[in-house]
Amino acid sequence: MNRSVDYHFLTAVAVFCIYGIHVCPFLESLSVLELTLPVVFVMLVVYLVVKRLAPGMSFSQGDECVRSAQYWQWVFCAFVAASIALVIYNSLSYDYPIDSALKVLLGLSTLGFFIATDLTLIFEREQAQRLGAMGVHLTPPTQFMPMTRKFTLFAGINALCMAGVIFLVVQKDLLWLLGDGQSVTLEQARWVILFEVAFVAVVVLGYTIKVIRSYSSNLAFFFNNENHALKKVAQGDLTVRTPVASQDEFGVMAHHTNLMIQDLQQATEEVKQTRDVAILGLSSLAEARDNETGAHILRTQYYVKALAEYLSSQPGFAEYLDQQTIELMHKSAPLHDVGKVGIPDAILLKPGKLTDDEFAIMKQHPEIGAQAIANAES
């Protein structure tokens, strides 16, 4: 952010000085120091104000949304105030014509519009990155400016600014041709006018491309977060969230994505609890029939978990034995003896040694349990 602020203000000083020379005959009549010193001074004040804006307007955990709109307004108003201050200074120091004052106001306001828009987009992206790193998820406002309206507004203001500045350039050159331009040839005048119009077009086009790139970076950040969150959900990770930090459709989409994941996580937890209760209930039936089964169930449960955790680090098993699968095996292990509920009490609870026929019936309990689970699955 700081580097972008430095770059913008150094560029703004150079662009405005060149703009003043080629658009305003009054500014062109000033010396280099008379032209640049007031511009550098007011731009330095704006620079210091903007430098302190981003840290001062950073969100706190209780804020409803990132203050990008307020940030844009402050930066743009700082440029407008700088243009007014420059006009007042020149009016007090020189015989400053009204048309020159309007050119200064339009020129600095146009620069302020582009710079405020680009810095706001960077501010919004950095805030969103900080939100994600902190795990803070904000609730977007119910009323917001749609992306389509933002594009329309930006394109309209962009066209008006470019048309206005080019009009001032052409007007200044026409007056120059009618006055002092008699001493130059038409070929020289043509190249001067083309250079000035090209300069304005290049500056406006350059700032437009910079704003588009910044907005594209914000879109890429949002889509990457959305895709990352959805990929994690598809892999079974329901703890992931996507940052909500923009006052537009993308902030609303991120907010509803988080709500969807939260509801899915809650529903999944309820399903897991229902599954665990069912397993516990079935295993409790087996334990109620046979006092020895309870301790045996616990031992088997921990044996299964220990074996699964060991095998998860071995080739050929790691792909299948993730933590979720191991947890399910651990909780399902008690079901291996649930078939004992189908063994007659005379055999199951017999204190002495079983006969061969009785042992044959006892060995049927895994088949009985498997059939019961198969029936439940079907």
Side-chain angles (χ1 to χ4, degrees):
M1 184 71 175
N2 290 333
R3 183 177 297 178
S4 298
V5 174
D6 298 342
Y7 161 80
H8 273 304
F9 279 90
L10 289 174
T11 305
V13 171
V15 167
F16 184 77
C17 289
I18 298 174
Y19 160 85
I21 292 173
H22 289 285
V23 174
C24 180
F26 172 79
L27 294 179
E28 187 179 7
S29 66
L30 299 177
S31 67
V32 175
L33 289 179
E34 290 174 334
L35 172 65
T36 57
L37 284 181
V39 174
V40 170
F41 177 77
V42 297
M43 293 301 290
L44 180 61
V45 174
V46 176
Y47 170 79
L48 295 175
V49 171
V50 174
K51 267 282 196 181
R52 296 183 61 86
L53 271 181
M57 297 189 70
S58 295
F59 68 92
S60 63
Q61 193 162 347
D63 287 338
E64 287 298 322
C65 56
V66 176
R67 303 185 181 187
S68 56
Q70 293 93 328
Y71 181 80
W72 185 92
Q73 293 169 5
W74 274 99
V75 176
F76 179 70
C77 289
F79 273 89
V80 174
S83 66
I84 295 174
L86 200 58
V87 167
I88 294 174
Y89 170 79
N90 286 331
S91 298
L92 295 176
S93 302
Y94 313 104
D95 186 14
Y96 203 47
I98 186 65
D99 61 327
S100 296
L102 293 176
K103 291 172 183 178
V104 170
L105 287 173
L106 178 61
L108 265 184
S109 298
T110 300
L111 284 174
F113 168 73
F114 285 113
I115 293 175
T117 302
D118 186 59
L119 290 180
T120 299
L121 290 170
I122 298 173
F123 173 78
E124 190 173 275
R125 183 170 64 253
E126 291 184 352
Q127 291 284 56
Q129 292 170 344
R130 197 173 295 115
L131 280 170
M134 294 173 58
V136 178
H137 306 285
L138 307 178
T139 302
T142 55
Q143 299 293 331
F144 57 86
M145 181 179 291
M147 180 185 66
T148 51
R149 190 182 303 172
K150 288 182 180 179
F151 271 124
T152 303
L153 186 62
F154 175 76
I157 296 177
N158 189 3
L160 287 175
C161 291
M162 187 170 184
V165 174
I166 289 179
F167 173 79
L168 295 177
V169 170
V170 173
Q171 181 199 37
K172 176 254 186 185
D173 288 331
L174 288 176
L175 294 175
W176 169 67
L177 288 175
L178 293 174
D180 299 335
Q182 301 296 331
S183 59
V184 298
T185 64
L186 290 178
E187 182 68 16
Q188 291 174 328
R190 181 172 72 92
W191 282 111
V192 170
I193 295 173
L194 286 177
F195 170 79
E196 293 175 348
V197 173
F199 168 76
V200 173
V202 168
V203 170
V204 174
L205 183 62
Y207 274 110
T208 302
I209 293 175
K210 184 68 173 67
V211 170
I212 291 174
R213 288 187 62 186
S214 293
Y215 195 76
S216 299
S217 298
N218 288 15
L219 289 180
F221 176 78
F222 164 75
F223 286 127
N224 288 337
N225 281 323
E226 282 287 310
N227 289 332
H228 172 74
L230 294 176
K231 183 179 179 180
K232 287 293 186 179
V233 170
Q235 294 173 349
D237 182 4
L238 300 179
T239 61
V240 67
R241 296 293 185 272
T242 182
V244 182
S246 59
Q247 303 178 64
D248 52 19
E249 295 91 334
F250 299 110
V252 175
M253 288 171 62
H255 175 63
H256 286 294
T257 298
N258 291 339
L259 290 179
M260 177 192 69
I261 297 174
Q262 181 179 344
D263 291 342
L264 185 59
Q265 184 180 25
Q266 183 177 355
T268 302
E269 289 299 324
E270 291 176 356
V271 170
K272 287 182 178 180
Q273 289 179 4
T274 303
R275 178 200 66 193
D276 294 345
V277 168
I279 293 174
L280 182 61
L282 288 173
S283 60
S284 296
L285 286 176
E287 184 178 1
R289 293 290 318 281
D290 183 5
N291 292 333
E292 294 297 326
T293 305
H296 173 65
I297 285 176
L298 292 177
R299 286 196 300 270
T300 305
Q301 200 173 20
Y302 288 111
Y303 285 149
V304 168
K305 183 178 181 180
L307 288 172
E309 288 179 343
Y310 171 76
L311 290 174
S312 66
S313 62
Q314 302 302 311
F317 295 95
E319 182 179 354
Y320 306 100
L321 294 175
D322 55 20
Q323 286 300 318
Q324 190 174 4
T325 302
I326 294 174
E327 179 188 3
L328 181 60
M329 293 175 65
H330 168 70
K331 291 183 176 181
S332 302
L335 294 178
H336 81 282
D337 265 344
V338 73
K340 286 186 177 181
V341 299
I343 303 300
D345 288 347
I347 299 175
L348 184 64
L349 304 178
K350 183 178 179 179
K353 183 179 179 180
L354 299 178
T355 64
D356 292 341
D357 293 337
E358 290 172 338
F359 189 60
I361 296 174
M362 176 63 80
K363 288 191 295 184
Q364 293 177 1
H365 79 272
E367 183 180 349
I368 297 172
Q371 187 61 46
I373 295 176
N375 291 338
E377 289 180 347
S378 63

